[in-house]
Amino acid sequence: MMGIFVVCLMLFSVLFSLSVVLRDPPSDAAAEASATTFFQVKQSRGMIGVDNAFSGSVEFLRDEHLGGLLAAGFDEQSCRSRYQSGIYGKGLSDKPSSYLISRLRKYEALHKQCGPYTESYNKTLKELRSGHFSGSSSACKYIVWISFSGLGNRILTLASAFLYALLTNRVLLVDPGVDMIDLFCEPFPDVSWFLPPDFPLKSHLNDFNQQSARCYGNMLKNRSVTNSAVPSHVYLHLAHDYDDHDKLFFCDEDQSFLHNVPWLVMKTDNYFIPSLFLMSSFEQELMDLFPNKETVFHFLGRYLFHPTNQVWGLVTRYYQAYLDKADEKVGIQIRVFDTRTGPFQHVLDQILACTLKENLLPDINQHQDIISSSGKQKSKAVLMTSLSSGYFEKVRNMYWEYPTVTGEVVSIFQPSHEEYQQTEKQMHNQKAWAEMYLLSLTDVLVTSSWSTFGYVAQGLGGLKPWILYKPENNTAPDPPCRRAMSMEPCFHAPPFYDCKAKKGIDTGVLVPHVRHCEDMSWGLKLVEN
């Protein structure tokens, strides 16, 4: 009888457990969400951002695909940053629109169909080699981005070229230059975005200029632009020294002609996206892609630019060693456009005036050796980036020699000090890319006026920085800085032209979401209304 009783008890327990599990099965919506969620639970020791209470158990959640922004199907080992960036960062600052996500998936399909060495690509190369366009309708049209200028400029202009490709249904092909392959992983699945070494125009890319026969501005001057004779390729000169004819690229009428050209070759050092928002032919599409206007580079940057494993190692090792355990991380990016040898006292005065005035850093107490504080002291890790080590050393010594008035512990770090910009040096650019990324992982950010280095960091991190005004006459400006209107970069050399009226106009007052920049009065930037 005792045996029968035990068996019955066991059966009852099993039936009761099954009834609990099956009583309320998940809805279809929940099941679908479970199947499509990109959050994965990992178990590991010493991972970033883990509360001590969870040590040895579930360590973190990571959104590997950034809410659908990134495509699946990549090999994690080949590009660890694509899958691990969510561990170190704060995720996206906003949710990408479903339309943006769908357009990115469509673009990836187009790139797979038309990318290097595909049947469609090989077909269009025949016309490119001949120099004549047969007029046959091809599903594949291209824009070739020329590697040009410093790293910050290259990142911003590549994002601009990609958005233009997205708007015009073109395939973006990237000139690898001397180091692009060493800096960035492939962003599109299955097919490379790098221009093949046997591309017919590859040896001539650096020779394109405003006097080139196929330069669009030059063609307009010579009145050789006709819809009856469409060339196989056109060069677009959109660098800072472009003239009024080159700037007609931003007119809808000129886009109608360029739409028919199978190969566009672009050289630029400008983040020209703000002016695309002023073109009626792109207006509705851009509104659908980016309901929040100030997220354009934030989303495109996180989609396109994934550090290679070598650069990612620089990022993660530094973050774990110096920034990980701080309660707050402050980034200070210093770019001085003075050709004399620094550091300069007025620049240091400006940095301290800004960070102390805006309560980004605590003041020091020069009258006491020790400040007593109850409980755990709050820690701040300050990441400084500069070509010079002088500013870092002075700020570090200040917080070493004196206690803070708040009792906070302030640590100052600077990964490198290369002394001068070395654009063509591989390790220099790898360190620069790593430092941009590290700055994007901070909680608050201070940047220098006119610096594309700072623009990249703020955009990737989804941060509205405090911008240091450009000093004049060796004097720290008063006020020293101001908070940015948005996290968007500034377009330094926009056109001031009304395409319809054929006259000059202030393009910074036409629409509420395109305004003049805080750090460059004639520049344009995107802001949320």
Side-chain angles (χ1 to χ4, degrees), residues 145-146 148-150 152-162 237-243 246-247 249-250 266-276 297 450 452 455 489-495 520 522-524:
W145 173 89
I146 298 177
F148 173 64
S149 193
N153 295 76
R154 283 186 278 164
I155 292 173
L156 297 179
T157 59
L158 191 45
S160 303
F162 174 71
H237 187 81
L238 301 180
H240 62 279
D241 60 349
Y242 62 162
D243 62 23
D246 298 316
K247 293 175 184 178
F249 167 83
F250 295 103
M266 177 184 291
K267 179 189 288 185
T268 179
D269 54 2
N270 279 308
Y271 179 75
F272 59 76
I273 287 176
S275 285
L276 297 180
F297 180 73
W450 299 17
T452 55
Y455 295 159
C490 178
F491 181 6
H492 285 172
M520 186 173 281
W522 60 88
L524 297 181

Side-chain angles (χ1 to χ4, degrees), residues 67-325:
L69 190 70
L70 303 182
F74 284 86
D75 174 25
E76 181 172 354
Q77 301 304 315
S78 66
C79 185
R80 293 181 179 276
S81 64
R82 170 182 285 274
Y83 290 90
Q84 296 178 0
S85 61
I87 304 170
Y88 296 85
K90 301 176 289 295
L92 296 176
S93 68
D94 198 1
K95 183 179 179 181
S97 68
S98 58
Y99 185 67
L100 173 61
I101 292 173
S102 68
R103 287 291 288 113
L104 291 176
R105 298 295 88 82
K106 288 180 181 178
Y107 173 83
E108 290 158 3
L110 179 66
H111 197 98
K112 185 175 181 179
Q113 175 189 345
C114 303
Y117 301 122
T118 60
E119 182 180 348
S120 298
Y121 171 84
N122 293 335
K123 179 182 177 182
T124 58
L125 282 191
K126 294 179 181 179
E127 293 180 335
L128 183 61
R129 288 190 177 98
S130 69
H132 301 289
F133 179 46
S134 64
S136 60
S137 58
S138 171
C140 302
K141 293 185 174 70
Y142 300 86
I143 180 161
V144 176
W145 173 89
I146 298 177
S147 183
F148 173 64
S149 193
L151 181 57
N153 295 76
R154 283 186 278 164
I155 292 173
L156 297 179
T157 59
L158 191 45
S160 303
F162 174 71
L163 181 57
Y164 179 71
L166 204 65
L167 294 171
T168 56
N169 292 313
R170 290 181 177 272
V171 171
L172 172 67
L173 295 180
V174 174
D175 167 25
V178 296
D179 61 1
M180 294 294 288
I181 294 176
D182 300 313
L183 298 173
F184 305 104
C185 299
E186 296 277 4
F188 313 129
D190 302 318
V191 182
S192 177
W193 71 337
F194 288 116
L195 202 62
D198 59 353
F199 180 67
L201 300 178
K202 188 170 177 57
S203 61
H204 303 292
L205 292 181
N206 292 327
D207 299 329
F208 280 113
N209 56 50
Q210 288 172 286
Q211 283 70 49
S212 298
R214 291 294 177 88
C215 176
Y216 185 62
N218 198 28
M219 293 171 68
L220 290 173
K221 289 178 193 175
N222 299 330
R223 299 184 179 181
S224 58
V225 174
T226 62
N227 290 323
S228 59
V230 178
S232 61
H233 72 279
V234 165
Y235 166 64
L236 303 170
H237 187 81
L238 301 180
H240 62 279
D241 60 349
Y242 62 162
D243 62 23
D244 291 340
H245 287 92
D246 298 316
K247 293 175 184 178
L248 294 177
F249 167 83
F250 295 103
C251 293
D252 292 302
E253 180 181 346
D254 294 79
Q255 284 297 322
S256 297
F257 169 78
L258 293 173
H259 173 75
N260 297 318
V261 181
W263 287 90
L264 298 179
V265 181
M266 177 184 291
K267 179 189 288 185
T268 179
D269 54 2
N270 279 308
Y271 179 75
F272 59 76
I273 287 176
S275 285
L276 297 180
F277 274 79
L278 300 177
M279 300 173 66
S280 59
S281 57
F282 298 146
E283 182 179 10
Q284 188 57 55
E285 180 78 358
L286 287 168
M287 296 298 177
D288 293 339
L289 289 169
F290 305 102
N292 182 351
K293 315 303 181 301
E294 71 166 301
T295 60
V296 176
F297 180 73
H298 181 55
F299 289 151
L300 295 182
R302 296 293 294 272
Y303 173 74
L304 290 172
F305 304 115
H306 307 284
T308 57
N309 286 347
Q310 186 174 358
V311 177
W312 190 239
L314 296 175
V315 172
T316 55
R317 287 189 295 273
Y318 202 90
Y319 188 97
Q320 292 170 345
Y322 302 108
L323 306 178
D324 176 23
K325 294 179 174 58

Side-chain angles (χ1 to χ4, degrees), residues 292-294 485-486 488 512-516 518 525-529:
N292 182 351
K293 315 303 181 301
E294 71 166 301
M485 294 181 288
S486 78
E488 273 289 298
H513 52 274
V514 179
R515 300 183 188 174
H516 289 298
E518 305 89 348
K525 74 179 298 182
L526 291 166
V527 300
E528 185 53 23
N529 294 350

Side-chain angles (χ1 to χ4, degrees), residues 20-57:
V20 170
V21 172
L22 300 176
R23 181 180 300 160
D24 188 16
S27 65
D28 291 342
E32 181 179 347
S34 176
T36 59
T37 184
F38 295 112
F39 286 92
Q40 294 188 357
V41 179
K42 297 284 186 180
Q43 276 191 300
S44 178
R45 288 188 176 182
M47 298 309 294
I48 303 305
V50 180
D51 191 303
N52 290 336
F54 292 93
S55 178
S57 59

